[in-house]
Amino acid sequence: MALLDSVPSIAILAISAVVLYFATHAIYNLYFHPLCQHPGPIPNAISPFPRLYWNIEGREPQTVLKLHLKYGNIVRVAPNELSFITQAWKDIYGFKRPELSKDWTMYALSENTKRSIILSGADHGRQRKMLAPAFSERALKLQQGMLTTYTGMMVEKLEERMKENKSVDMAKVFNCVTFDTIADLMFGEPLGLCENMEYSDWLSQLFVSIWLAGASRALQYFPLLFRLATMMIPKHIQETIDSSYQNTVDKVNKRLAMKTERPDMLGLMLKHKEEGAEMTMDELYANADLLMIAGTETTATSLSGLTWYLLNNKPVLERLTKEVREAFNSIDDITMDSLPRLPYLSACLEEGMRMFPAVAEGIRRVTPSTGATISGHFIPPNASLVKVSIPHYAAYHHPTNFHSPTTFAPERWLLSSHPLYNPIFASDKKEILQPFSVGPRNCIGLTLAYHEMRLIMANLLWHFDVELSGECDEGWLDQSSHLVWDKKPLMVKILARGSVA
Ligand code: HEM
């Protein structure tokens, strides 16, 4: 009886202890934490939950922009995390000793992904050395014929749709072209997507894996919960993830069994192996799987964003079309060598990536236990795992960095000698735009991405006039982001060249 009588008091005591713990924690975070002098919303300073909610909701890019507009260039977005929209690229991502390490909670922590270059720790340099030759300008030029095969297939399919008077989902078309290109570069054969401009089962599975990886990141803040959740993944979803990876493994094995001197990615990686660089078979599979995601969705997303802005900015579309059509006498002149000489095309690519960066969130890094200075602000030693990042979308849309930041204006990237140069953009902080990141872990596929984007866009505008279709969602830009944008269909009317006045 006496024991039962004391139950309410034990419950009150337990609740009080929990409340006291959280209250003390909140007070510490607000007034005594090493980051307490940095501005930001109070709920974010107290707890990581608001930040995790953005992750799940998929509104991180837009929310972080709003916070920077309200609180300034450096914002405390979580108790242990600062977001910078200053020129802090080198401080956070650059070559330094010790390097700021990756924040693992940003990535999908499957055992397979952990073996790939993107998550490798001390042996990152070894993996990078082995992959790099496949991405050199020289190696890519050898693949020009293969790249143009898929732009040629794109043109053929668009012609068919034009004759049928049907609108085309260009987001899907860009995905089909980039996936077939990377698959051919990697496995020695395409996925067959460009034949019908439709996704295969494997690709649909891959998209499920990407979405799951993005949406489940918040759980990684709580390792026990994450482990529990991974144990509870429904069987059919786990099978989808496993079968997507197994498909990559099968394709790598098939390519390795080919007796060919083909200078594709696996060929070059293996050649390097003979020269002493090492990569285990498991690492090879993991990197092939990574490249199929990192090298496709990103390029297709950048092209989709640029296409949306072009279709909604007729004068820019006209100028770009004119530049492409006047620069060349025939389609054969449109090459990897000739395209970089088109300044307006280059300016449009930069502006497209500024307005709609494929990687929109900040990629977090963790400061070392020795402390770090970021944009002149010292993060003290042992300030328990402070995370820092530059959020691409927020940094590119903030008036502190770009004049009229929400205006799509490729002119801002032109040299002052260009007839379309506009001095109102002279104060733009152009070096803030780093869609491929910087430093030792920047994008290895940067050169390939530029070549692909130039070839695809130039072929589209050389062959066709394009208009936004009435079937396209007017709020296309209003998208959520789970590591990559959850893109909506981008419906476009394909018209015969010269039909739009
Ligand atoms: C417009 C297109 C692209 C954009 C915007 C982009 C962006 C990025 C960014 C921001 C990173 C840094 C990620 C991090 O710090 O965790 C990265 C890394 C990487 N990207 Fe890309 N990327 C693009 C295209 C490609 C292509 C075409 C490939 C290859 C086929 C590729 C392969 C990779 C790889 C392997 C890494 C990891 C590099 C390392 O950790 O050393 N990307 N990319």
Side-chain angles (χ1 to χ4, degrees):
M1 246 349 238
L3 189 68
L4 278 182
D5 286 347
S6 62
V7 166
S9 351
I10 294 173
I12 291 170
L13 255 174
I15 293 169
S16 310
V18 171
V19 170
L20 192 69
Y21 170 79
F22 282 108
T24 322
H25 208 62
I27 291 170
Y28 168 77
N29 279 342
L30 265 182
Y31 300 108
F32 302 102
H33 190 284
L35 301 186
C36 69
Q37 79 281 15
H38 292 288
I42 290 177
N44 291 58
I46 292 175
S47 136
F49 285 105
R51 199 224 185 299
L52 298 181
Y53 176 69
W54 310 334
N55 264 176
I56 298 165
E57 188 198 22
R59 291 277 153 182
E60 182 173 327
Q62 300 90 335
T63 315
V64 173
L65 171 62
K66 280 188 201 145
L67 294 186
H68 277 288
L69 288 169
K70 183 166 177 190
Y71 293 100
N73 290 350
I74 304 172
V75 176
R76 190 181 182 194
V77 288
N80 276 346
E81 188 184 337
L82 293 178
S83 171
F84 290 79
I85 56 159
T86 55
Q87 184 43 281
W89 282 107
K90 284 191 183 142
D91 291 343
I92 299 178
Y93 304 93
F95 291 86
K96 33 192 337 195
R97 288 272 170 264
E99 195 182 288
L100 271 65
S101 57
K102 289 207 165 189
D103 172 18
W104 310 123
T105 60
M106 275 221 69
Y107 303 86
L109 277 187
S110 77
E111 286 308 310
N112 297 328
T113 331
K114 271 192 220 165
R115 291 188 200 104
S116 74
I117 185 171
I118 202 139
L119 289 186
S120 54
D123 58 351
H124 172 260
R126 172 179 61 81
Q127 293 210 24
R128 182 116 182 170
K129 194 171 156 208
M130 198 148 170
L131 287 177
F135 293 95
S136 70
E137 184 73 34
R138 196 165 148 262
L140 294 173
K141 292 255 168 78
L142 293 175
Q143 301 288 352
Q144 172 149 255
M146 193 276 288
L147 261 74
T148 50
T149 302
Y150 298 106
T151 48
M153 286 176 88
M154 174 187 82
V155 169
E156 239 172 67
K157 288 294 145 194
L158 293 181
E159 222 149 26
E160 285 172 17
R161 302 287 158 90
M162 180 182 79
K163 286 182 188 146
E164 292 161 3
N165 208 8
K166 281 188 186 156
S167 297
V168 179
D169 176 3
M170 284 308 291
K172 190 183 247 186
V173 169
F174 294 141
N175 263 334
C176 291
V177 177
T178 53
F179 270 95
D180 264 352
T181 305
I182 300 295
D184 201 343
L185 270 174
M186 177 66 76
F187 308 125
E189 61 179 15
L191 302 176
L193 309 174
C194 286
E195 280 164 25
N196 293 312
M197 291 298 166
E198 287 299 337
Y199 296 154
S200 63
D201 287 348
W202 181 47
L203 202 60
S204 307
Q205 289 168 356
L206 199 68
F207 286 140
V208 172
S209 310
I210 298 173
W211 192 90
L212 273 173
S216 64
R217 281 174 305 156
L219 282 177
Q220 295 187 42
Y221 262 72
F222 312 99
L224 273 179
L225 200 61
F226 181 67
R227 204 174 276 185
L228 199 68
T230 45
M231 279 165 18
M232 283 160 48
I233 293 177
K235 198 165 166 246
H236 71 281
I237 295 186
Q238 190 56 52
E239 279 170 7
T240 303
I241 298 170
D242 293 346
S243 110
S244 161
Y245 192 75
Q246 187 55 43
N247 209 314
T248 305
V249 171
D250 294 344
K251 283 179 187 304
V252 170
N253 288 340
K254 194 171 165 199
R255 164 64 185 85
L256 295 182
M258 285 181 199
K259 294 275 169 279
T260 169
E261 285 300 302
R262 209 170 175 271
D264 55 24
M265 286 183 186
L266 277 172
L268 288 167
M269 277 148 88
L270 292 174
K271 185 165 179 279
H272 216 59
K273 188 174 178 171
E274 284 155 22
E275 289 161 12
E278 273 302 328
M279 200 181 269
T280 65
M281 281 310 286
D282 280 342
E283 286 172 342
L284 214 55
Y285 298 141
N287 279 306
D289 200 55
L290 167 76
L291 288 167
M292 281 311 293
I293 301 167
T296 46
E297 254 286 312
T298 42
T299 311
T301 298
S302 305
L303 282 164
S304 302
L306 173 58
T307 305
W308 166 265
Y309 278 103
L310 288 172
L311 295 173
N312 284 281
N313 290 275
K314 286 252 167 74
V316 177
L317 175 61
E318 277 166 26
R319 266 173 235 144
L320 179 59
T321 310
K322 189 165 177 282
E323 184 185 72
V324 170
R325 292 185 188 165
E326 285 181 358
F328 308 109
N329 291 322
S330 88
I331 186 69
D332 297 334
D333 298 336
I334 300 185
T335 63
M336 280 158 98
D337 274 331
S338 60
L339 283 170
R341 286 184 227 130
L342 303 194
Y344 204 67
L345 175 61
S346 296
C348 285
L349 291 181
E350 297 305 290
E351 187 65 349
M353 290 192 280
R354 185 184 73 81
M355 295 299 284
F356 195 71
V359 179
E361 303 169 12
I363 300 182
R364 297 189 291 273
R365 296 287 198 260
V366 184
T367 53
S369 58
T370 46
T373 301
I374 317 280
S375 254
H377 292 262
F378 185 59
I379 314 283
N382 298 320
S384 68
L385 295 176
V386 170
K387 299 174 182 186
V388 288
S389 70
I390 300 182
H392 292 262
Y393 184 85
Y396 305 163
H397 283 79
H398 200 283
T400 197
N401 292 329
F402 292 98
H403 178 81
S404 305
T406 53
T407 305
F408 176 69
E411 286 69 27
R412 67 174 89 236
W413 301 100
L414 295 172
L415 294 177
S416 57
S417 51
H418 193 282
L420 292 171
Y421 170 76
N422 187 340
I424 60 164
F425 299 115
S427 61
D428 279 359
K429 294 179 187 149
K430 299 195 172 61
E431 63 290 352
I432 288 285
L433 183 76
Q434 299 292 351
F436 299 94
S437 193
V438 305
R441 287 169 181 263
N442 78 339
C443 180
I444 204 168
L446 179 153
T447 313
L448 172 60
Y450 272 113
H451 282 311
E452 280 189 279
M453 290 193 289
R454 286 197 177 102
L455 280 169
I456 294 172
M457 193 46 76
N459 267 275
L460 178 67
L461 300 181
W462 167 269
H463 287 278
F464 306 104
D465 284 358
V466 279
E467 263 181 4
L468 198 62
S469 158
E471 291 169 40
C472 195
D473 180 349
E474 282 178 20
W476 187 84
L477 275 181
D478 185 21
Q479 301 177 20
S480 50
S481 156
H482 290 97
L483 209 55
V484 292
W485 293 103
D486 305 327
K487 289 198 298 288
K488 299 177 192 168
L490 177 57
M491 303 310 293
V492 176
K493 276 200 264 177
I494 305 292
L495 305 162
R497 184 176 151 149
S499 46
V500 176

mmCIF file of all heavy atoms in Angstrom, residues 401-417:
data_model
loop_
_atom_site.group_PDB
_atom_site.id
_atom_site.type_symbol
_atom_site.label_atom_id
_atom_site.label_comp_id
_atom_site.label_asym_id
_atom_site.label_seq_id
_atom_site.Cartn_x
_atom_site.Cartn_y
_atom_site.Cartn_z
ATOM 1 N N ASN A 401 24.671 39.011 -51.772
ATOM 2 C CA ASN A 401 25.602 38.416 -52.739
ATOM 3 C C ASN A 401 25.296 38.779 -54.189
ATOM 4 O O ASN A 401 26.212 38.871 -55.009
ATOM 5 C CB ASN A 401 25.591 36.890 -52.593
ATOM 6 C CG ASN A 401 26.186 36.445 -51.262
ATOM 7 O OD1 ASN A 401 27.075 37.113 -50.738
ATOM 8 N ND2 ASN A 401 25.687 35.351 -50.717
ATOM 9 N N PHE A 402 24.021 38.921 -54.515
ATOM 10 C CA PHE A 402 23.659 39.169 -55.917
ATOM 11 C C PHE A 402 22.630 40.303 -56.016
ATOM 12 O O PHE A 402 21.670 40.339 -55.235
ATOM 13 C CB PHE A 402 23.084 37.889 -56.553
ATOM 14 C CG PHE A 402 24.124 36.812 -56.705
ATOM 15 C CD1 PHE A 402 24.233 35.798 -55.761
ATOM 16 C CD2 PHE A 402 25.025 36.834 -57.765
ATOM 17 C CE1 PHE A 402 25.205 34.814 -55.867
ATOM 18 C CE2 PHE A 402 26.005 35.857 -57.887
ATOM 19 C CZ PHE A 402 26.093 34.835 -56.934
ATOM 20 N N HIS A 403 22.845 41.174 -56.992
ATOM 21 C CA HIS A 403 21.885 42.242 -57.258
ATOM 22 C C HIS A 403 20.616 41.616 -57.847
ATOM 23 O O HIS A 403 20.698 40.741 -58.704
ATOM 24 C CB HIS A 403 22.510 43.223 -58.272
ATOM 25 C CG HIS A 403 21.603 44.342 -58.650
ATOM 26 N ND1 HIS A 403 21.425 45.459 -57.868
ATOM 27 C CD2 HIS A 403 20.799 44.505 -59.734
ATOM 28 C CE1 HIS A 403 20.569 46.257 -58.457
ATOM 29 N NE2 HIS A 403 20.174 45.706 -59.587
ATOM 30 N N SER A 404 19.445 42.051 -57.417
ATOM 31 C CA SER A 404 18.159 41.458 -57.864
ATOM 32 C C SER A 404 18.268 39.931 -57.874
ATOM 33 O O SER A 404 18.176 39.282 -58.921
ATOM 34 C CB SER A 404 17.776 41.946 -59.268
ATOM 35 O OG SER A 404 17.751 43.319 -59.329
ATOM 36 N N PRO A 405 18.470 39.341 -56.697
ATOM 37 C CA PRO A 405 18.813 37.907 -56.659
ATOM 38 C C PRO A 405 17.743 36.989 -57.204
ATOM 39 O O PRO A 405 18.049 35.873 -57.616
ATOM 40 C CB PRO A 405 19.047 37.631 -55.167
ATOM 41 C CG PRO A 405 18.329 38.706 -54.452
ATOM 42 C CD PRO A 405 18.370 39.914 -55.333
ATOM 43 N N THR A 406 16.475 37.432 -57.222
ATOM 44 C CA THR A 406 15.438 36.518 -57.699
ATOM 45 C C THR A 406 15.159 36.707 -59.191
ATOM 46 O O THR A 406 14.268 36.071 -59.748
ATOM 47 C CB THR A 406 14.119 36.703 -56.905
ATOM 48 O OG1 THR A 406 13.780 38.081 -56.953
ATOM 49 C CG2 THR A 406 14.278 36.253 -55.465
ATOM 50 N N THR A 407 15.930 37.594 -59.836
ATOM 51 C CA THR A 407 15.757 37.807 -61.278
ATOM 52 C C THR A 407 16.713 36.908 -62.056
ATOM 53 O O THR A 407 17.917 36.886 -61.777
ATOM 54 C CB THR A 407 16.055 39.282 -61.648
ATOM 55 O OG1 THR A 407 15.230 40.101 -60.844
ATOM 56 C CG2 THR A 407 15.803 39.573 -63.119
ATOM 57 N N PHE A 408 16.161 36.199 -63.034
ATOM 58 C CA PHE A 408 16.983 35.347 -63.905
ATOM 59 C C PHE A 408 17.664 36.255 -64.932
ATOM 60 O O PHE A 408 17.022 36.779 -65.831
ATOM 61 C CB PHE A 408 16.068 34.335 -64.594
ATOM 62 C CG PHE A 408 16.758 33.439 -65.592
ATOM 63 C CD1 PHE A 408 17.662 32.474 -65.178
ATOM 64 C CD2 PHE A 408 16.476 33.538 -66.947
ATOM 65 C CE1 PHE A 408 18.283 31.627 -66.101
ATOM 66 C CE2 PHE A 408 17.095 32.700 -67.874
ATOM 67 C CZ PHE A 408 18.001 31.740 -67.446
ATOM 68 N N ALA A 409 18.946 36.504 -64.763
ATOM 69 C CA ALA A 409 19.650 37.458 -65.627
ATOM 70 C C ALA A 409 21.029 36.900 -65.998
ATOM 71 O O ALA A 409 22.025 37.184 -65.327
ATOM 72 C CB ALA A 409 19.797 38.803 -64.908
ATOM 73 N N PRO A 410 21.110 36.109 -67.081
ATOM 74 C CA PRO A 410 22.420 35.561 -67.477
ATOM 75 C C PRO A 410 23.460 36.651 -67.710
ATOM 76 O O PRO A 410 24.662 36.410 -67.571
ATOM 77 C CB PRO A 410 22.108 34.822 -68.780
ATOM 78 C CG PRO A 410 20.652 34.533 -68.729
ATOM 79 C CD PRO A 410 20.025 35.652 -67.957
ATOM 80 N N GLU A 411 22.991 37.871 -68.021
ATOM 81 C CA GLU A 411 23.908 38.985 -68.306
ATOM 82 C C GLU A 411 24.920 39.184 -67.173
ATOM 83 O O GLU A 411 26.033 39.659 -67.392
ATOM 84 C CB GLU A 411 23.122 40.303 -68.493
ATOM 85 C CG GLU A 411 22.362 40.401 -69.801
ATOM 86 C CD GLU A 411 21.181 39.443 -69.872
ATOM 87 O OE1 GLU A 411 20.632 39.084 -68.809
ATOM 88 O OE2 GLU A 411 20.833 39.026 -70.998
ATOM 89 N N ARG A 412 24.529 38.840 -65.961
ATOM 90 C CA ARG A 412 25.422 39.085 -64.806
ATOM 91 C C ARG A 412 26.726 38.295 -64.925
ATOM 92 O O ARG A 412 27.707 38.617 -64.272
ATOM 93 C CB ARG A 412 24.715 38.816 -63.480
ATOM 94 C CG ARG A 412 24.347 37.406 -63.211
ATOM 95 C CD ARG A 412 23.769 37.220 -61.795
ATOM 96 N NE ARG A 412 22.328 37.402 -61.715
ATOM 97 C CZ ARG A 412 21.747 38.273 -60.907
ATOM 98 N NH1 ARG A 412 22.459 39.038 -60.122
ATOM 99 N NH2 ARG A 412 20.435 38.386 -60.867
ATOM 100 N N TRP A 413 26.751 37.256 -65.769
ATOM 101 C CA TRP A 413 27.959 36.427 -65.898
ATOM 102 C C TRP A 413 28.805 36.801 -67.111
ATOM 103 O O TRP A 413 29.847 36.184 -67.348
ATOM 104 C CB TRP A 413 27.568 34.939 -65.988
ATOM 105 C CG TRP A 413 26.799 34.522 -64.781
ATOM 106 C CD1 TRP A 413 25.445 34.382 -64.682
ATOM 107 C CD2 TRP A 413 27.313 34.274 -63.469
ATOM 108 N NE1 TRP A 413 25.089 34.047 -63.400
ATOM 109 C CE2 TRP A 413 26.214 33.973 -62.637
ATOM 110 C CE3 TRP A 413 28.594 34.279 -62.911
ATOM 111 C CZ2 TRP A 413 26.361 33.683 -61.278
ATOM 112 C CZ3 TRP A 413 28.735 33.975 -61.565
ATOM 113 C CH2 TRP A 413 27.630 33.690 -60.762
ATOM 114 N N LEU A 414 28.360 37.820 -67.878
ATOM 115 C CA LEU A 414 29.120 38.189 -69.093
ATOM 116 C C LEU A 414 30.285 39.102 -68.751
ATOM 117 O O LEU A 414 30.236 39.864 -67.774
ATOM 118 C CB LEU A 414 28.186 38.901 -70.075
ATOM 119 C CG LEU A 414 27.045 38.034 -70.643
ATOM 120 C CD1 LEU A 414 26.077 38.900 -71.445
ATOM 121 C CD2 LEU A 414 27.602 36.899 -71.508
ATOM 122 N N LEU A 415 31.316 39.051 -69.594
ATOM 123 C CA LEU A 415 32.459 39.961 -69.414
ATOM 124 C C LEU A 415 32.033 41.359 -69.835
ATOM 125 O O LEU A 415 31.118 41.531 -70.661
ATOM 126 C CB LEU A 415 33.629 39.504 -70.281
ATOM 127 C CG LEU A 415 34.274 38.167 -69.914
ATOM 128 C CD1 LEU A 415 35.371 37.809 -70.914
ATOM 129 C CD2 LEU A 415 34.841 38.236 -68.488
ATOM 130 N N SER A 416 32.732 42.378 -69.301
ATOM 131 C CA SER A 416 32.330 43.760 -69.611
ATOM 132 C C SER A 416 32.496 44.075 -71.095
ATOM 133 O O SER A 416 31.906 45.023 -71.612
ATOM 134 C CB SER A 416 33.123 44.741 -68.759
ATOM 135 O OG SER A 416 34.496 44.523 -68.989
ATOM 136 N N SER A 417 33.265 43.253 -71.817
ATOM 137 C CA SER A 417 33.453 43.503 -73.259
ATOM 138 C C SER A 417 32.263 42.974 -74.092
ATOM 139 O O SER A 417 32.138 43.272 -75.269
ATOM 140 C CB SER A 417 34.736 42.817 -73.738
ATOM 141 O OG SER A 417 34.725 41.466 -73.322
#
